[in-house]
Structure formats: C-alpha cells, structure tokens
Amino acid sequence: MKLDLYTEISDFFRQNQGKIVELEILPKWHLPPLCIDGQSLGITKNGLIQAFTVARQLFFDNASKMISYNELTDKNVAAALDATLVVLFFAPEHTTAINFRKRRLLFYEQEALREPGTDSEEVGRYMAAIHNELALLQSFTSSYLVKHPKSPTLWDHRRWIFSRQSYLHQIEPSRSWEVEKGVVLRAAEQHQHNYYAFNYLRTIFGIFSRELSVYIPNDMDSLRRWCLANPRDASGWSFFVFLFENCETVDLQLESTPNHIMEVAEFADSLQWSSPNLWSFLRRACTILALECPESSPIKTRLRNLIEANEQGMQPFKLKVHEFLLGIGN
C-alpha cells in the first residue's frame, strides 16, 4: 500500500514535469486516499505520510549510491530526485532534499558553462532543468496546502535560482517579473500575511529594478487593487509601501502616487474600514511621500471633505479617519 501510493505520486510528478499542477490534502475519511484528475492530485494526510516514509528511505538509499548528479547516466540520481518530490510534498522544510536538487542544478550549470552559447545542448538542458524546478516550486506554493505557500525554504530555493547569473543572462526581465509577481500574489491569497513570499518579491524587484521602470505604474495600480481586495493582509500593504519607497531607485517619478493614496483612503472611509493594516499603510505611504502638494490642491481638498463627512457622531473609526487626515493636512 505504501509503495503503491509513493509510485502513483512520483509517476504523477514525472508525467507533469514542467507543468503547474494542483495539489491538495483530502479529508481523512476520503476513499480512496489518493485521487488524480488530469493535472490535479489530492491525497489524505495519512496516505501522504505513508508515501513519505517510502520516499525518505529511497532518497537516502539512492543518494548514498550515486556517482554524479547526472540523472541521465546515473539511475540512482533519477530515483533520488523522484523521491525528493514526495519528500517535499510532505515536508517543505526538508533542507537535505532541497540541497540535493540545488546540487543537481549546479551540475547542469557547470556543464552549460563549459559549452557557452544559447544553442548548445548543455545550455538547453540547464534551462529545461531550471524551468522544471520553477514549475515545481510554483505548484507547491500556489496549491491548497497549509505549509507550502509560506515555506521559507521553498521561497529561498526560488530566490537562489534567480541569483544564478548564468540563468539571468538567458531570461527576459519584464516577463520574468510579471510571472514572479503572479506567483507571489497567488501564494499570498492561499496564505494571508505571507511575509516570505513578499520578501522574495522584494529580492526579484531588486534584481530587475533597472529594467522595470516603465512597468512600475501598472504594478502600482494592479497591486493597489489586490490590496483593496485583501485589506487585512499586512504583508501586501507593506510591499505596496516598498514600491513607493523604491520609485526613486528606478529614476521614476509617479504623478499618480497621491491619487493611489487618496483612492485607498476613500475606500476605507466608504466602508468604514478600521483595519490597522490599511491605516498603517496610509500613514507610512504619506510619511514617505510627504504629499508635497500645495494647500489648494484637489487632493488636499478631497481629504478635508472626508474630514467634514466624518465630523458628525465621531465613532472610534471616525476618530481614526479624522486623526489620519489631519496628520496629512499638516
């Protein structure tokens, strides 16, 4: 039974290599314990534990016998790699399995550096291995799993991949940024307050910042919409502030920045939203930007109108609005 579960899971990953799959833990009473439908896999917690015990044993057995990290010539490497998939499915913080996969990528990287050129077979194999690894990590962090979307080990492994200069030279920055931003926002929806995911996105922004200047306005707008759809997520608001802080890094002055802040303030006022995360964002954003607008500017006029709208019957929320807007007006 244990071996059968392991074999089916490893076969599922192998058949969907390089694809984004959906993974889910089924209720313990579900029968059968494993369900596979296309690119979706569901398994009970007990079934996954049984598969993990087999995978862990196979991983260490084969890792101890291998000669190199080339699974094309060493069957022990291929068996150990298959085992790491199930190991990480159960235990995303299993650093030994992650490090094994890193060493295998380093092996392909070294082979690619010996034969430079985008058309070489070694470079193609290296890029395919990277693509498959990123797809696997995205499957883990975007699926309906408890630990994986917020796993520091998985996000650090993804960060490590983007730290490889040999890989960065082969990719297009704007497309990679859009993909990585989508991966992070998806993971943040799966697990709120996902500090590790947004911290990873800060790193990616730092890597591509110079090439992203023309995309920042759209990013500000899309992230604002995401934050308003998830107003309790402190990590999302914190990253929104991070973009404000780093506009100067990309030599970009955003004329729409005060409008973004105003729209968030009006949203909070219209819904009487008292979430401290949202108001903390507004205070930090306005402190950073200082809202260098003249006293007669439409922005400050609208802010004062919000104060007047909240003057009657000052409730705790309205006091918070009043305090905030007065602080901006001074």
Side-chain angles (χ1 to χ4, degrees):
M1 178 64 175
K2 292 182 180 181
L3 183 59
D4 291 340
L5 288 172
Y6 167 79
T7 302
E8 289 191 60
I9 296 173
S10 59
D11 287 346
F12 170 81
F13 280 115
R14 194 183 307 108
Q15 292 166 8
N16 291 283
Q17 191 175 45
K19 300 177 183 178
I20 310 301
V21 299
E22 293 185 6
L23 307 170
E24 187 175 359
I25 301 299
L26 302 175
K28 61 182 180 180
W29 44 261
H30 193 280
L31 291 175
L34 176 66
C35 290
I36 296 176
D37 183 11
Q39 293 177 212
S40 300
L41 181 148
I43 187 172
T44 62
K45 185 65 175 291
N46 186 55
L48 184 56
I49 291 173
Q50 294 180 51
F52 168 75
T53 58
V54 175
R56 185 181 181 279
Q57 185 65 48
L58 289 174
F59 169 65
F60 285 109
D61 286 347
N62 286 280
S64 63
K65 299 175 184 176
M66 68 182 198
I67 301 173
S68 72
Y69 284 94
N70 188 349
E71 72 261 32
L72 299 179
T73 59
D74 193 333
K75 64 179 182 180
N76 292 312
V77 178
L81 282 173
D82 287 344
T84 61
L85 299 173
V86 182
V87 168
L88 292 173
F89 189 3
F90 176 77
E93 308 305 324
H94 200 291
T95 54
T96 304
I98 285 289
N99 288 336
F100 182 87
R101 300 188 69 84
K102 282 182 180 177
R103 288 194 290 269
R104 171 234 186 190
L105 293 178
L106 285 174
F107 170 81
Y108 281 130
E109 181 184 52
Q110 293 168 1
E111 292 292 307
L113 291 175
R114 291 195 186 99
E115 298 289 337
T118 56
D119 296 331
S120 70
E121 182 179 353
E122 288 75 10
V123 171
R125 188 179 299 125
Y126 172 57
M127 294 301 295
I130 291 287
H131 170 76
N132 294 341
E133 196 73 8
L134 291 175
L136 174 68
L137 292 172
Q138 183 174 347
S139 298
F140 281 141
T141 57
S142 63
S143 291
Y144 297 98
L145 302 172
V146 175
K147 299 178 181 179
H148 296 68
K150 206 173 183 179
S151 165
T153 302
L154 295 182
W155 287 113
D156 185 68
H157 184 41
R158 197 175 184 95
R159 182 186 294 108
W160 176 84
I161 291 175
F162 276 92
S163 72
R164 312 309 300 171
Q165 291 296 322
S166 56
Y167 173 62
L168 292 178
H169 291 159
Q170 305 288 336
I171 60 178
E172 203 280 310
S174 61
R175 185 178 182 279
S176 295
W177 166 252
E178 288 299 318
V179 170
E180 297 310 301
K181 185 178 67 173
V183 170
V184 166
L185 294 182
R186 171 65 174 171
E189 291 173 355
Q190 298 296 87
H191 201 309
Q192 287 191 342
H193 312 293
N194 199 331
Y195 165 79
Y196 297 106
F198 281 108
N199 195 42
Y200 161 79
L201 196 57
R202 287 179 176 88
T203 302
I204 299 302
F205 180 88
I207 293 173
F208 296 134
S209 59
R210 290 294 172 183
E211 293 85 358
L212 295 176
S213 59
V214 297
Y215 299 97
I216 297 303
N218 290 334
D219 288 333
M220 299 282 269
D221 188 55
S222 63
L223 188 61
R224 174 182 57 80
R225 291 196 302 270
W226 188 92
C227 288
L228 291 179
N230 302 270
R232 297 184 185 276
D233 198 308
S235 295
W237 289 115
S238 179
F239 184 76
F240 200 6
V241 172
F242 170 82
L243 283 184
F244 284 142
E245 290 175 321
N246 286 272
C247 286
E248 294 182 359
T249 303
V250 295
D251 299 324
L252 182 67
Q253 297 297 325
L254 294 178
E255 297 179 357
S256 61
T257 293
N259 292 326
H260 284 303
I261 296 176
M262 190 64 219
E263 289 173 7
V264 174
E266 288 183 332
F267 167 82
D269 179 66
S270 64
L271 297 181
Q272 296 194 357
W273 195 273
S274 58
S275 170
N277 298 325
L278 186 153
W279 288 100
S280 176
F281 156 77
L282 288 170
R283 292 189 184 92
R284 288 179 60 194
C286 292
T287 299
I288 293 167
L289 297 170
L291 279 184
E292 296 179 356
C293 303
E295 284 297 320
S296 59
S297 69
I299 294 293
K300 286 195 174 181
T301 300
R302 290 165 67 192
L303 287 172
R304 288 194 174 89
N305 289 339
L306 280 179
I307 293 177
E308 294 175 1
N310 287 278
E311 281 181 349
Q312 296 182 353
M314 281 293 187
Q315 300 171 357
F317 164 77
K318 294 188 174 184
L319 283 171
K320 190 175 295 185
V321 175
H322 186 78
E323 176 189 4
F324 164 71
L325 295 177
L326 282 178
I328 300 307
N330 293 333

